[in-house]
Each structure stands twice: as structure tokens, then as C-alpha cells.
Amino acid sequence: MYDVNKIREDFPILKIKVNGKKLVYFDNAATTQKPIQVINKIKYYYENYNSNIHRGIYKIAETATEKYIESKTKFAKFINAGSIEEIVYMRNTTEAINFVALAFGNEVIKEGDHILISEAEHHSNLLPWLWLAKRKKAHLDYIKLNKEKTGLDIESFKAHLEKEPKITAVFHASNVLGSINDIKYITQLAHKKNSTVLIDGAQSIPNIKIDVKDIGCDFFAASAHKMMGPAGIGILFAKKSVLDNIKPLFGGGEMVKQVNKYSCTLNDLPWRFESGTQNIEGAIGLAGAIDYINKIGINNIRKHEQNLLKYAFDKLNDINNLEVFGGNDEKNKVGIISFAINKVHPHDIAYLFDKEGIAIRAGHHCAMPVVSELSKEHSISRMSFYLYNTIEEVDAAVDAINKIKNKFNIR
Ligand SMILES: Cc1ncc(COP(=O)(O)O)c(C=O)c1O
């Protein structure tokens, strides 16, 4: 049985008060809170075996190296990758996508080629491709939103595929709409046109079971901090056959087997892409986060989010002058609800929510093209849920909305 109150006990931060009220943390799409199990793993590392990896010939350095590799093994299993050769640790999703655009994109994109993304991408999955297209005098094409603005228009995707894009890069779950793309289908169609496929998994890694073998994508990028791990560590999955043909971007320690004054032999996968001292504590924390998710069960987390969504949509539907973006079909959404209250600026909404102890996000959500499509102010409010949120907290958000409406005399 899913016991949200028991889960909440694992998160020290959920006990704090904000403006005299119990914290309601509804900004999980920005970053998630960390359970004590993850915090303790990192603390234990610092207190018991802090040392550099891959190089020390002494006990604690060997332990650190083992734990770092164990973290990769866990992550590879978590997303069903072939082996740790396909898992490169980076700083975050942003760095992973930029790496692909620079190390892979620079080699394969030529003048006049097409690159395909969508209108609803986070800037992390837009700017690297925009710059690549500009560098190479290539075309950057955008899959349109559907008429209802709840997700992508699959006909627009198919039409763009006819231009045979060399690279297709799309989100798995949108950080603004919350909607989920059928990435297996997208990958299959793109592959038929020989397009290399990158999936931005920043918003799906916390709550959707990922199976990269089943999806078939070439690249999958994600961040540990969105799945209860620490910030500063992200993951690039790349198919071994693709990674084998990519040259490292950075030279430095631990990424070569042998160096002389005039040449070098690269290290094996994935180490050749991890030059310099890595985020060891980050990897250890990420392993803790995977253990935690596995203990609860990722499908249970998804179900819990869907229950919260359904409950929230039922309540929000009854409120006049409130607009919910991205549709209200909880089956096709992660726990994200973007909304607007007629005539109230999103920054005022977030400020007034904060007065009630409720943390939400307001603004352009680093996804300006889609937010501008949805809102004249180029700014919207967003609540985002995770495994520790409760029905009572949704009620508190609904109360906050009604209070704001009263304050602004909105019926
Ligand atoms: C869909 C999506 N892609 C990419 C990112 C970037 O993630 P990070 O800041 O961890 O690199 C985010 C962050 O919110 C996101 O929501």
C-alpha cells in the first residue's frame, strides 16, 4: 500500500515552516527534495571514504571507485541500458544535450541539413540545436503544437520527417504542458528516415519507467536532481554503436590510456568522456536516489501523481476565470499543472502562494516559445507534484487560488 505519510517522514525539509505555514512544495519540476537516505549516503561518503576515483591504490580510494561504478551499474539497470559503457555522467540534462550537439552534431550536420525539434522544448533542448544550425548553415525545424495546445501535432512531425532531418530531438514529458510524448513511436518513425534520435528525459526520469532498449532512442538525457538525487550530476545515455564514433570534447585526466608528446590512445567507453575529477558524491547520491525510487516503485510514484492530478483537475474545473494549460487527461501527463488566473500576473500568484507556504513556479519556465504561445504575458504559473505530495496540499493550493481571486475581486 502506498503510504504517503510514511514517505513524507523520509524528507526532513517537509517539516519546515514557511511564513508560519507548513511548507507545501509544488515546484518538483524545477527540482525535487531529497530523502534522508540520499542525504546520509553523501554524508557517509564524506565521513568515511572521501577520495578520488580510478587512481588511488589504497582502501578508501578503491571503495570510492567501486561506489562510483556501482552507481553507473544501477543507472544502466534503471533505464535498461546495455551496460555502463553507454552511461556517461555529466553535470545535468543541459550539459548532456549540449555535448551531443557539439561532439556528435558538429560531425554529422552539414550545410543545408535539417534538425528537428518541437515548439515545446525547454531551452536546454533548443539553444544547442539553434546554435548548431547557425554554425553549419543548417535548418532548424519545429514540430507544431496540436490545435488544443495539449501536446505535439503528430501530422506536423510526420511532415517534417519528409525533409529527412539528420537529428530529431524531443522532450519525453513537457515541463510546461506536462504532456507525455510517445517517444517509442517518434523514434521508430524518425529511424525510418535515418534520423538520430535524442530524448530529453528531464521530466520523465523521476516518474516514468524508462526502457531505452524498448524506446530505441540513440541518446537519452536526464538530471539526478529531478529524481531526488543531488544537483550537479546528470546522465547521458548513448547507444554504444553511436558513442563508439564520437570523439571526446575535453582532454584531461583519466580519459586516456596512454599519452606521449605527440599522440594519445583514448580510454574505453564511457571513461573517455569523463575527463578530470568527477562528481563522485553526486554519483553516490544518485545511486541512493535510484535505490529509493526502486523501494517505492516507479509505477507507484506515477500512479500517485496521476491520483493527485485527477483530484486537482476535478477541483480546478469548478473554478471560473482559471485556465489550465496542457489539457486535463491525467493519463497522458506527468504531475505538472500550468495555469493562469484571469488578470492576475503569475508573479503575484507565486508571491501570494508563498504567503500560504506553497512553493510554485511562475515565469517562462525556460521554454519561451511554448509559453508565449499559451500566454500573452509570456508567463504562467505552474504547480508540480511528486511522490510526497498529498491531497490536503492540493486542497491548500485550491484555497490559495480562491483567496487570490477574492483579493482581486474576480468572480
Ligand atoms: C524538459 C526539460 N529539459 C531540460 C531541463 C534542464 O535540466 P537541467 O537544468 O537539470 O539541466 C529541464 C529543467 O527543468 C526540463 O524541464
Side-chain angles (χ1 to χ4, degrees):
M1 238 271 288
Y2 195 91
D3 186 346
V4 70
N5 290 321
K6 193 155 181 301
I7 289 172
R8 288 175 70 83
E9 282 169 16
D10 291 334
F11 293 80
I13 201 169
L14 298 179
K15 295 185 180 72
I16 68 161
K17 291 210 161 159
V18 174
N19 293 322
K21 308 268 169 71
K22 227 170 82 184
L23 168 71
V24 174
Y25 187 74
F26 273 175
D27 197 17
N28 294 288
T31 198
T32 53
Q33 300 303 341
K34 322 302 171 201
I36 194 69
Q37 291 85 340
V38 168
I39 298 168
N40 282 345
K41 277 224 163 171
I42 298 170
K43 186 163 174 275
Y44 189 85
Y45 161 70
Y46 278 131
E47 290 178 348
N48 291 281
Y49 61 100
N50 174 44
S51 44
N52 215 326
I53 52 169
H54 296 317
R55 44 200 106 190
I57 316 211
Y58 51 90
K59 180 71 189 149
I60 61 172
E62 281 166 6
T63 307
T65 304
E66 271 166 29
K67 293 289 176 192
Y68 187 82
I69 294 172
E70 184 185 283
S71 166
K72 286 206 177 207
T73 309
K74 279 191 179 169
F75 195 84
K77 195 161 169 229
F78 188 63
I79 62 164
N80 198 26
S83 74
I84 66 164
E85 289 179 306
E86 299 185 317
I87 305 294
V88 185
Y89 279 169
M90 308 222 154
R91 272 192 306 158
N92 44 37
T93 306
T94 304
E95 187 170 279
I97 300 174
N98 275 273
F99 169 83
V100 175
L102 289 167
F104 176 76
N106 268 356
E107 296 296 319
V108 303
I109 297 293
K110 307 275 180 276
E111 186 170 342
D113 281 348
H114 288 261
I115 301 164
L116 183 56
I117 64 171
S118 87
E119 287 181 344
E121 299 307 324
H122 187 281
H123 298 165
S124 298
N125 197 29
L126 190 165
L127 293 172
W129 308 116
L130 181 67
W131 293 339
L132 173 64
K134 282 201 193 299
R135 276 199 303 280
K136 297 290 179 168
K137 296 192 173 68
H139 305 279
L140 181 61
D141 301 326
Y142 287 86
I143 305 167
K144 278 191 180 319
L145 289 186
N146 60 20
K147 265 209 316 289
E148 303 77 23
K149 299 191 180 167
T150 53
L152 299 188
D153 176 9
I154 213 71
E155 291 312 315
S156 163
F157 167 59
K158 286 180 183 165
H160 281 303
L161 271 189
E162 291 309 310
K163 291 178 238 163
E164 305 193 344
K166 288 269 166 61
I167 298 173
T168 301
V170 290
F171 64 87
H172 189 181
S174 160
N175 64 314
V176 174
L177 304 167
S179 45
I180 300 165
N181 273 331
D182 184 347
I183 50 172
K184 184 174 176 180
Y185 180 64
I186 287 175
T187 301
Q188 279 170 352
L189 292 199
H191 277 171
K192 279 193 185 142
K193 297 288 179 186
N194 295 318
S195 190
T196 299
V197 177
L198 176 140
I199 302 299
D200 172 356
Q203 293 298 346
S204 60
I205 199 77
N207 41 36
I208 297 179
K209 173 73 198 131
I210 305 296
D211 182 335
V212 286
K213 275 196 202 125
D214 182 56
I215 298 162
C217 57
D218 302 285
F219 298 106
F220 189 96
S223 297
H225 70 95
K226 307 254 194 218
M227 52 181 285
M228 297 179 276
I233 183 151
I235 311 96
L236 176 69
F237 156 83
K239 269 186 190 158
K240 184 176 180 310
S241 55
V242 180
L243 213 46
D244 264 334
N245 294 307
I246 298 180
K247 293 195 200 82
L249 280 186
F250 301 111
E254 292 307 321
M255 49 83 64
V256 279
K257 280 187 174 155
Q258 236 189 344
V259 188
N260 63 38
K261 282 201 273 184
Y262 306 103
S263 65
C264 71
T265 320
L266 292 177
N267 206 341
D268 297 327
L269 294 179
W271 315 115
R272 70 177 71 148
F273 297 105
E274 294 185 2
S275 51
T277 299
Q278 295 300 299
N279 184 349
I280 304 159
E281 52 274 58
I284 287 161
L286 170 57
I290 295 168
D291 288 345
Y292 193 80
I293 291 178
N294 285 341
K295 189 179 85 174
I296 307 289
I298 191 133
N299 292 333
N300 295 331
I301 295 175
R302 171 116 182 85
K303 186 91 191 52
H304 179 69
E305 276 190 7
Q306 284 181 328
N307 290 343
L308 291 176
L309 280 176
K310 185 162 177 2
Y311 182 81
F313 286 139
D314 284 349
K315 294 262 163 173
L316 298 178
N317 279 346
D318 291 339
I319 303 180
N320 292 330
N321 286 307
L322 178 98
E323 189 176 1
V324 169
F325 303 106
N328 55 9
D329 174 9
E330 79 278 358
K331 286 188 207 66
N332 190 36
K333 282 179 86 130
V334 292
I336 287 177
I337 301 181
S338 292
F339 66 98
I341 303 174
N342 195 5
K343 297 202 183 81
V344 189
H345 194 278
H347 285 169
D348 291 334
I349 297 176
Y351 174 78
L352 292 167
F353 262 70
D354 185 48
K355 291 267 164 251
E356 303 298 321
I358 309 173
I360 61 163
R361 175 91 188 263
H364 55 64
H365 305 273
C366 300
M368 284 187 180
V370 64
V371 170
S372 300
E373 282 260 333
L374 300 173
S375 137
K376 283 201 290 295
E377 286 94 16
H378 309 284
S379 178
I380 54 181
S381 307
R382 180 185 71 190
M383 307 189 251
S384 48
F385 309 143
Y386 204 26
L387 77 169
Y388 36 67
N389 291 124
T390 63
I391 295 285
E392 292 75 27
E393 289 180 322
V394 175
D395 285 337
V398 171
D399 286 348
I401 290 172
N402 285 325
K403 269 194 190 167
I404 293 169
K405 282 186 63 189
N406 279 339
K407 195 179 174 67
F408 284 81
N409 263 328
I410 299 165
R411 299 280 144 239

